[in-house]
Amino acid sequence: MTTGSETQDMLQPAQSGPNIAQRRGREGKKVGEQILKVTDLTVQFPTEDGLVQAVNGLNYDLQMGQTLAIVGESGSGKSVSSMAVMGLHDTRRARIGGSIMLDGQEIVGASAQTIRRMRSATAAMIFQDPQSSLHPFLRVGWQIAEAYRAHHKVSKSVAMKRSVEMLDRVGIPNPARRAKQYPHEFSGGMRQRAMIALGLVNDPKLLIADEPTTALDVTVQAQILDLLNDLQDEFGSAIVLITHDLAVVAEVADEVLVMYAGRAVEHGTATEVLAQPRHPYTWGLLSSVPSISATGSSLRPVRGLPPSLLNLPTGCSFHPRCDFMERVPGGRCIKELPELIPPESQSDRVTRCHLAEPADIFRDEIAPSLDGSEGRSHE
Amino acid sequence: MSDQLGTQDSDRYREAAPVVHPDSDPDRKPMLVVKDLVKYFPVREYTGLFPTTLQIRAVDGVSFDVAPGETLGLVGESGCGKTTTGRLITRLLEPTAGSIQFQGREIGHLKERQLRSMRRDLQIIFQDPYGSLNPRYTVGNIIGTPLQVHNLLPKNKRKARVQELLELVGLNPEHINRYPNEFSGGQRQRIGIARALAVEPKLIIADEPVSALDVSIQAQVMNLLEKLRKELGLAFIFVAHDLGVVRHFCDRVAVMYLGKVVELGSRESIYGAPQHPYTQALLSAAPDLNVVRGAVPEERIRLVGDVPSPINPPSGCRFRTRCWKAQDICAQEEPALIPRNDSGELHTIACHFAEPKTSIVADAAEVTV
């Protein structure tokens, strides 16, 4: 799905879709224009035990029409950083530093009012668990209409009409009847569709999807991923997809940002990062996924456990779990935090590692043990 | 590819246990035989004047067997009855009908007291590493309790055995006096595994043992289970929804849909040449990491809609409401789970229109070559 031609298609200006797209107008934002720029973002939580450094110097930007996948395990800071983009952290509890420019508006330190105006209208978030993110006492249609009325001065009946239209758009059969039902009457996949309708009702330029398919079965997951893809083609919005599932990333993302212990360790296009990864942590993640399309592979997981965010290791945060530390002379991994640096001649591809020739190590030592890369070539 | 890998795999497992590859051996002697297993859960419905009792047909006529040292995967979407099947076999639930024979003994309706001796050989690992360990017990107590219940070791020898078990599952034996909250999810799952191993079972039901864990931890636990299987010659029934995990771990796979097994066969036949439309759809829906390495997946089969209600399942073939091959016969006659199209003695498919379809990857290889 992320082959060259597909990416090209995605970057083409979206076809002017059905009536919804035309009615609201895009305010001049075109596919390819920058919508989000995160610079040196830090998020810290002071606790009784000390300072939790959840996100540490994160940089990325995102253009309209693009899908960025943020990948990492629990505690890597992928959700926390995205919640910061939505202004969802309690500023009394979290210390947020750096800058988040969302559609030309600074989010860090913005007033609650500014953030409320921006939410749903500029950026919307859909959560992993649609069961607990929809209000159980309110009818699904009304929840969507309410979000629409928060940003548009329209009557209830107009908002309800819009709500039914959105439910129809996300592929819920019989939307007029469904709109009058409560969340518990929906199945898991339906609820996630309703969440997406709720997220898109104000036509946001940026959609943050936090593990949108983790709670769903594969056939439903495929439906939801297709839906997100279609909606993106139609509306040209940007998507941040937070996930731990590398196979999903391979199918839908344009760009991948791999996070470990609050820092970006690798960033590049999906094809580059997943086919020629340069960071030992990305190698570990790739060697941990049993393949659906090949048998007889062995899993070589990253050993040990992720570090405590209260007390990060010195130097490279990954060094206690890294198998390649000895290859770097002088114990630099323990002493010195590697910079995010581009490999020679590539500027938008960055890795945070001291290893001199990671591409060679991957090709000669890691890739042969991964599924498919060997097996297929023998056929 | 499947041939080449097939021989490799069966060699590997022959070392582990004296089991010949299931597809090629009709004389295998199963330790567990499940026949026409049925479990209905009654629910009261309060619409109308009088409440009516409806039956949720969670498991509705499931048959399979497991030989010593073999690993059977149960896959399917949520609500297909795979977990209920696992719980029926461990007799955490009593079946509504059908038989479960374990080591030649019918265990379907045994009393609690009689079950105890059976449970020495049949253990379960649960999905949720947080909910399945008593937070007020130390690890030593948790793992030691089965030894006490089954009277396996005198009290003074239990501690040494527990420490041995901790070491076996890759935990520090010195942590015997710690409480579950002091461990991470992956470590807790190891404690659950050690508890199951304490009584030296012959068959372990693993109910989604890795689905609650992070990717790298998941792979660590998978490797541990694999090591235990090889070293101890354990048989597993592996309940999971992750098709990659099942492919990695299981010799044989049973695909379930709405309380029925729709296809059952060796790993190679299920993944390499699935014949039931549901299996084909399920496999094609799963995202594949290999797309970035140049594999071009074939056109996806997209199922529409949701799984029908198990209270009132469709007549005939239960998959017909979402199946693109469905015809009149599918609504009238339920297809039997039998070998079709020279699929081999032990590859059974419950479909009137079963036809082989080469694997996604095999097709992709043709495209790339």
Side-chain angles (χ1 to χ4, degrees):
Chain A
M1 209 164 276
T2 49
T3 54
S5 61
E6 287 274 347
T7 319
Q8 281 303 315
D9 290 346
M10 239 175 259
L11 292 175
Q12 299 296 319
Q15 303 281 315
S16 57
N19 47 6
I20 310 176
Q22 286 163 357
R23 184 143 28 97
R24 52 202 161 73
R26 263 256 157 255
E27 291 161 31
K29 278 280 167 190
K30 290 275 159 51
V31 168
E33 267 181 63
Q34 191 177 74
I35 174 76
L36 176 66
K37 186 167 178 61
V38 174
T39 318
D40 207 20
L41 177 70
T42 56
V43 182
Q44 299 175 326
F45 301 96
T47 65
E48 281 176 17
D49 302 323
L51 197 63
V52 173
Q53 305 181 0
V55 180
N56 222 329
L58 184 67
N59 292 295
Y60 67 88
D61 52 31
L62 188 60
Q63 279 79 40
M64 295 292 293
Q66 256 194 335
T67 303
L68 169 74
I70 304 184
V71 184
E73 295 178 275
S74 339
S76 60
K78 55 193 195 308
S79 285
V80 170
S81 61
S82 305
M83 282 170 72
V85 173
M86 292 296 295
L88 287 172
H89 288 298
D90 183 346
T91 43
R92 289 167 300 181
R93 301 232 172 80
R95 287 186 205 153
I96 302 176
S99 148
I100 299 168
M101 294 297 284
L102 178 63
D103 200 18
Q105 167 74 46
E106 176 62 60
I107 299 297
V108 176
S111 69
Q113 217 177 0
T114 318
I115 289 177
R116 196 178 312 134
R117 260 206 309 278
M118 168 282 292
R119 257 184 224 149
S120 178
T122 313
M125 189 157 182
I126 55 179
F127 296 92
Q128 172 175 1
D129 182 7
Q131 172 81 73
S132 57
S133 359
L134 288 169
H135 197 300
F137 294 174
L138 298 178
R139 294 174 200 274
V140 171
W142 176 241
Q143 296 187 45
I144 299 171
E146 202 179 22
Y148 190 63
R149 293 216 328 145
H151 294 275
H152 296 84
K153 286 204 166 82
V154 294
S155 69
K156 285 183 185 173
S157 62
V158 171
M160 271 309 277
K161 211 183 249 172
R162 163 86 180 160
S163 161
V164 172
E165 203 177 289
M166 283 312 292
L167 287 175
D168 188 34
R169 183 65 201 86
V170 296
I172 290 182
N174 206 345
R177 189 173 62 88
R178 284 293 188 171
K180 291 186 191 127
Q181 292 185 332
Y182 292 93
H184 76 265
E185 296 172 85
F186 282 50
S187 68
M190 287 290 187
R191 259 184 235 132
Q192 195 57 281
R193 283 171 192 270
M195 272 295 289
I196 293 174
L198 178 58
L200 293 177
V201 69
N202 287 310
D203 180 34
K205 293 169 185 151
L206 171 67
L207 184 68
I208 299 178
D210 188 354
E211 307 258 7
T213 58
T214 307
L216 306 175
D217 283 316
V218 275
T219 58
V220 185
Q221 165 172 292
Q223 293 171 4
I224 297 288
L225 293 177
D226 279 355
L227 173 65
L228 283 175
N229 211 2
D230 290 350
L231 294 172
Q232 185 176 37
D233 282 352
E234 185 181 325
F235 298 140
S237 37
I239 295 180
V240 174
L241 180 73
I242 302 169
T243 182
H244 65 270
D245 189 336
L246 292 169
V248 169
V249 174
E251 303 255 343
V252 302
D254 302 318
E255 272 191 53
V256 185
L257 176 70
V258 183
M259 287 189 73
Y260 185 76
R263 288 195 178 92
V265 294
E266 186 155 12
H267 188 178
T269 67
T271 323
E272 283 170 348
V273 172
L274 296 181
Q276 289 130 26
R278 288 165 171 270
H279 196 281
Y281 178 62
T282 319
W283 299 342
L285 284 182
L286 285 166
S287 332
S288 299
V289 187
S291 169
I292 181 173
S293 53
T295 319
S297 56
S298 63
L299 302 182
R300 300 208 313 181
V302 190
R303 59 192 159 81
L305 298 172
S308 159
L309 296 173
L310 284 168
N311 188 11
L312 286 175
T314 57
C316 172
S317 310
F318 188 63
H319 85 253
R321 303 175 77 188
C322 187
D323 287 327
F324 300 91
M325 214 169 74
E326 295 81 32
R327 313 259 179 115
V328 177
R332 279 172 72 205
C333 296
I334 301 172
K335 292 178 207 149
E336 201 183 310
L337 176 71
E339 292 294 318
L340 257 185
I341 42 168
E344 60 301 333
S345 81
Q346 280 172 291
S347 56
D348 49 356
R349 172 79 202 281
V350 288
T351 315
R352 192 188 287 281
C353 185
H354 287 307
L355 279 175
E357 293 295 338
D360 296 351
I361 296 179
F362 178 77
R363 193 187 57 232
D364 301 338
E365 296 173 37
I366 312 289
S369 69
L370 291 179
D371 315 327
S373 45
E374 278 286 273
R376 241 195 332 279
S377 58
H378 286 305
E379 275 183 286
Chain B
M1 178 181 68
S2 57
D3 279 345
Q4 183 200 343
L5 289 169
T7 39
Q8 263 177 16
D9 281 329
S10 49
D11 282 341
R12 189 146 60 97
Y13 297 129
R14 223 171 265 139
E15 278 172 24
V19 179
V20 187
H21 201 277
D23 259 5
S24 59
D25 177 25
D27 318 315
R28 63 204 200 91
K29 294 203 173 51
M31 68 194 301
L32 175 82
V33 182
V34 174
K35 207 152 189 310
D36 300 324
L37 193 63
V38 174
K39 178 68 186 177
Y40 290 172
F41 293 103
V43 281
R44 305 276 279 173
E45 178 132 315
Y46 292 94
T47 52
L49 190 54
F50 300 105
T52 46
T53 304
L54 302 173
Q55 303 288 345
I56 294 181
R57 303 180 177 196
V59 175
D60 205 1
V62 164
S63 306
F64 56 80
D65 53 32
V66 181
E70 194 176 84
T71 314
L72 175 74
L74 291 183
V75 287
E77 296 177 281
S78 38
C80 71
K82 54 192 194 301
T83 293
T84 306
T85 306
R87 294 189 169 219
L88 286 167
I89 294 166
T90 38
R91 278 300 317 280
L92 295 171
L93 292 170
E94 191 167 348
T96 309
S99 89
I100 308 167
Q101 276 191 19
F102 182 60
Q103 298 183 327
R105 188 170 167 211
E106 173 61 44
I107 60 167
H109 299 281
L110 288 184
K111 295 268 179 322
E112 196 61 33
R113 191 179 292 270
Q114 300 166 306
L115 278 174
R116 195 164 288 168
S117 65
M118 172 279 278
R119 288 212 171 110
R120 240 207 92 174
D121 292 328
L122 185 59
Q123 285 285 316
I124 185 164
I125 301 168
F126 294 97
Q127 171 172 16
D128 180 4
Y130 294 84
S132 57
L133 302 178
N134 189 334
R136 289 175 169 258
Y137 275 24
T138 63
V139 170
N141 276 333
I142 290 171
I143 302 173
T145 303
L147 299 171
Q148 189 189 337
V149 168
H150 290 278
N151 239 333
L152 293 183
L153 281 176
K155 210 169 180 179
N156 55 359
K157 287 189 183 153
R158 268 180 220 148
K159 188 180 169 196
R161 171 72 179 140
V162 168
Q163 288 186 320
E164 202 182 293
L165 285 162
L166 282 173
E167 205 154 359
L168 182 68
V169 297
L171 293 171
N172 187 342
E174 285 162 27
H175 292 173
I176 187 164
N177 287 322
R178 294 199 179 181
Y179 288 89
N181 68 315
E182 297 172 70
F183 293 90
S184 70
Q187 289 173 321
R188 282 158 182 254
Q189 202 54 295
R190 287 171 193 261
I191 298 170
I193 294 169
R195 174 175 62 184
L197 292 174
V199 295
E200 296 171 8
K202 300 196 174 74
L203 173 64
I204 289 185
I205 318 279
D207 185 4
E208 301 266 11
V210 295
S211 63
L213 307 174
D214 262 327
V215 195
S216 71
I217 310 297
Q218 175 176 328
Q220 290 173 0
V221 173
M222 292 283 298
N223 281 352
L224 169 67
L225 288 174
E226 191 134 11
K227 183 191 97 175
L228 295 172
R229 176 177 65 181
K230 279 185 194 161
E231 285 176 5
L232 309 174
L234 293 169
F236 275 92
I237 292 181
F238 196 88
V239 178
H241 68 275
D242 186 324
L243 295 157
V245 167
V246 169
R247 176 163 200 161
H248 183 78
F249 194 71
C250 300
D251 310 328
R252 296 171 71 221
V253 181
V255 182
M256 290 186 70
Y257 184 78
L258 214 56
K260 297 243 180 224
V261 174
V262 296
E263 187 161 5
L264 172 66
S266 70
R267 158 177 41 197
E268 288 71 29
S269 49
I270 294 286
Y271 285 87
Q275 298 208 20
H276 195 285
Y278 178 63
T279 314
Q280 293 168 355
L282 198 63
L283 287 172
S284 99
D288 185 3
L289 195 48
N290 281 326
V291 293
V292 293
R293 303 198 193 107
V296 184
E298 68 180 62
E299 192 54 42
R300 287 288 161 86
I301 303 168
R302 285 288 184 255
L303 291 182
V304 286
D306 284 325
V307 183
S309 158
I311 291 175
N312 189 13
S315 65
C317 172
R318 296 192 169 187
F319 184 59
R320 72 178 163 86
T321 52
R322 299 169 82 193
C323 183
W324 61 97
K325 287 183 185 167
Q327 294 182 20
D328 292 346
I329 186 177
C330 301
Q332 289 148 13
E333 196 182 316
E334 189 180 321
L337 187 67
I338 49 168
R340 289 167 202 260
N341 300 327
D342 315 318
S343 60
E345 188 67 15
L346 286 148
H347 180 188
T348 51
I349 307 108
C351 177
H352 294 299
F353 302 103
E355 58 182 328
K357 172 172 161 281
T358 44
S359 88
I360 299 168
V361 171
D363 282 3
E366 280 163 29
V367 174
T368 45
V369 163

